[in-house]
Amino acid sequence: MIRVPFPPQKSFLALVLLCLALLPWAAFAQQRGLELDIVGGNAAATPIAVVPMPYQGSAGAPQTDVAEVVRADLARSGQFRPLPPADLGAQRPTRGADIDYAYFRTLKQNYVVVGRVLDAGDGGYRVEYELFDMGGNRLLAFALTARANAMRDVAHQIADAIYEKLTGVRGAFWTRIAYIVQTGVGKGAQYALMIADADGYNPQTVVRSEKPLVSPAWSPDGRKLAYVSFERGNSSIVVQDVATGAREVVAAFKGINGAPSFSPDGRRLAMALSKSGNPEIYVMDLASRALTQVTRQFGIDTEPVWSADGGSLYFTSDRSGKPQIYQAPASGGAATRVTFQGSYNARATVSADGKKLAVAQGSGNVYRIAMLDRSLGSSRWSMLSPGNLDESPSFAPNAAMVLYAAREGGRGVLYAVSADARVRQRLVVAGGDVREPAWGPYRLPR
Amino acid sequence: MNMTSRVLITAILCVTAAACSKKVKENTDTGATVGNDTTSSGTTSSGMGNTGPVSAGAYGPGDLDTDACLRQRVVYFDFDQDALKPEFQAIVACHAKYLRDRPSARMTLEGNADERGSREYNMGLGERRANAVSSSVQANGGSGTQITVVSYGEEQPTCTESTEDCWGRNRRVEIVYTAK
């Protein structure tokens, strides 16, 4: 196990001011640092040296170590093995012309990233970076300008560009996650819906409640979150604007109002309602609020998620006895069973290309995250997590990683695991029971 | 456990529950004291003194705090099951009698599940359990208009350890009176 300690946020005050400026409705922000563990490793991962990017301005160095954030991103993808800075020796090139390729070849590196941080005026910074292969070919050369408080965003964008250049797959480090935190048990329990960067940094409160908050789901443009709230006594489905905090209750029927999921076009919301007597899948047109009933089946039908084309829904149903994943047309119609391995399959998440499906798979007391890969013609299952009580898988927008919730020592923690299961990273948000991670979409549409 | 044995066990549980449900109904109809049934199922009641002649008179609001049976407001379930267990029939029956005696009384049945399995599926499971209690209350003469069912799934546990004991305490339906 490689332990990668990150320092806590250096200035709580600065963070609070940032939150107040960006999110006036945010009641508070958790300022405590995260503990990031990388479990396992990948010998086949590509070695890459991300050389520290020194501050070469005169106004004052940024708090963010850009190269360190890039290294951490690439490492947790499972596809790269960044060189520890201590192994660089005296080599500290900041420009392509300064790179001693022979030295990096002796370190068995395949690629080198160099860069530097400059002043950009008004307290902002300009980060210039370049990516080279061992033949001295410059593969990337970019400059990014940002305010001081957005330097982690810059670092994630650099990691995304490197990842895409070298793997051919769009990077998903510059994304956000949503999750639920519970503090306390019983009457004194407090629940919060949080959002944070994909690496767990910059947590911000979206909404707090003394009643349970459940099942957060992102809109495809990343501007809204749908979730289940019990603040009215019974469950209801709320859609909330992340930036303004404006919220509306879209479903508060008799019985269960649960498991919201935005359609790929953002215009419809699939959900589970038990107003007919038992949970069934419905699709709500968000403009008209008109409901279409998708399933009509005695038993529990819940946890709908959309296929990539928006034409069908995957959902959990116990119509065959135990929960399994089924697929049905979003307009209603006959359902087809999708999962046959494992006695319990629930809470599906579908990759953007529709070829991978991850579920919580279990039997009795052991639940693990399992992935069904249909991209190679025949279906193939793989186990992504060790158990025992793993749940709520959520694909990154590029499907290269899966976020899920686990229980350790009587509380919930979040893990990110590479889709090849080779690298797992724990994101521990201090002081609470953390669960139900939902990986948000790309920050910029293409 | 294979599907056949699951179905078989479920069927047996259903038959057992139905049989017991019938028996309890007969008991109350024939005037057996509900308090006796509960005392024998292991409560900390101090005896017949504070249960009163249940079958003889109608329940009043004060009995919710003093009656040994009515004071029991939690019904527990087996793993992944929503069948009412025989030992809880008596509790359900006395609460049904309370609703009969007090037409203005209203109760919320809060269904809960243990942490195993997915959260939204457990929401459904909690609702099934609350519905099972609701059905039994109604079979014992309570009116459906007096009952509201809410499922919290696994979101309101009474304990958070991942142990059989804790899971057993969380698989429950809580009877909450919103009007006495």
Side-chain angles (χ1 to χ4, degrees), chain A residues 218 347 349 358 369 391-396 401-404 437-440:
Chain A
W218 290 92
R347 185 85 171 219
T349 177
I369 306 304
E391 61 178 16
S392 305
S394 177
F395 270 114
M401 295 175 76
V402 174
L403 201 58
Y404 67 93
W439 207 313

Side-chain angles (χ1 to χ4, degrees), chain A residues 221-404:
Chain A
D221 63 5
R223 292 183 181 162
K224 290 176 178 170
L225 284 165
Y227 56 91
V228 174
S229 169
F230 281 83
E231 62 204 283
R232 299 155 65 99
N234 188 22
S235 54
S236 58
I237 297 175
V238 179
V239 173
Q240 181 161 337
D241 187 292
V242 173
T244 68
R247 60 204 299 264
E248 42 181 350
V249 175
V250 299
F253 297 100
K254 180 173 177 288
I256 294 168
N257 298 271
S261 172
F262 281 97
S263 61
D265 64 8
R267 293 179 184 165
R268 292 167 292 167
L269 196 66
M271 59 186 71
L273 304 173
S274 70
K275 63 194 182 78
S276 68
N278 60 287
E280 303 281 11
I281 308 298
Y282 293 79
V283 171
M284 176 182 281
D285 179 86
L286 283 168
S288 68
R289 301 281 168 88
L291 283 173
T292 303
Q293 187 169 348
V294 176
T295 60
R296 291 170 201 278
Q297 173 82 30
F298 187 76
I300 295 172
D301 292 335
T302 188
E303 300 171 334
V305 287
W306 294 81
S307 64
D309 63 4
S312 65
L313 292 162
Y314 295 89
F315 59 96
T316 306
S317 175
D318 67 353
R319 61 188 64 189
S320 63
K322 285 288 196 178
Q324 294 291 346
I325 305 300
Y326 289 76
Q327 184 176 17
S331 53
T336 314
R337 184 168 163 178
V338 175
T339 53
F340 291 93
Q341 174 185 305
S343 63
Y344 189 119
N345 286 290
R347 185 85 171 219
T349 177
V350 183
S351 65
D353 66 4
K355 289 176 178 165
K356 291 174 184 165
L357 192 81
V359 296
Q361 186 174 89
S363 58
N365 293 351
V366 178
Y367 295 82
R368 302 167 71 186
I369 306 304
M371 188 176 77
L372 180 63
D373 186 349
R374 299 179 291 185
S375 64
L376 304 166
S378 62
S379 295
R380 193 170 59 91
W381 280 99
S382 57
M383 285 295 167
L384 301 187
S385 80
N388 287 342
L389 292 169
D390 301 339
E391 61 178 16
S392 305
S394 177
F395 270 114
N398 65 0
M401 295 175 76
V402 174
L403 201 58
Y404 67 93

Side-chain angles (χ1 to χ4, degrees), chain A residues 185 191 212 214-215 228 230 233-234 255-256 258-259 274 277 279 299-300 302-303 318 320 322-323 344 346 364-365 367 389 391 407 410 435-436, chain B residues 3 6 79-80 115-125 127-128 131 149-162 164 167 174:
Chain A
V185 179
Y191 303 82
V214 194
S215 298
V228 174
F230 281 83
N234 188 22
I256 294 168
S274 70
I300 295 172
T302 188
E303 300 171 334
D318 67 353
S320 63
K322 285 288 196 178
Y344 189 119
N365 293 351
Y367 295 82
L389 292 169
E391 61 178 16
R407 289 199 73 78
R435 62 226 189 183
E436 294 204 277
Chain B
M3 183 55 67
R6 276 279 183 209
F79 173 57
D80 210 15
E115 65 180 349
R116 290 170 292 175
S118 83
R119 288 173 179 273
E120 288 283 358
Y121 183 77
N122 283 339
M123 208 74 82
L125 193 53
E127 186 181 61
R128 269 188 191 161
N131 281 338
V149 163
V150 172
S151 177
Y152 287 110
E154 61 177 281
E155 308 304 326
Q156 296 214 316
T158 57
C159 53
T160 56
E161 299 87 53
S162 298
E164 291 290 348
W167 289 330
E174 295 194 17

Side-chain angles (χ1 to χ4, degrees), chain A residues 143-181:
Chain A
L144 292 143
T145 303
R147 288 178 299 157
N149 59 19
M151 291 298 277
R152 293 193 71 89
D153 291 336
V154 165
H156 293 315
Q157 287 172 271
I158 293 171
D160 279 346
I162 295 168
Y163 184 90
E164 181 164 4
K165 187 70 191 177
L166 299 182
T167 67
V169 175
R170 186 173 180 183
F173 303 115
W174 188 44
T175 50
R176 291 186 295 186
I177 60 173
Y179 53 91
I180 305 290
V181 180

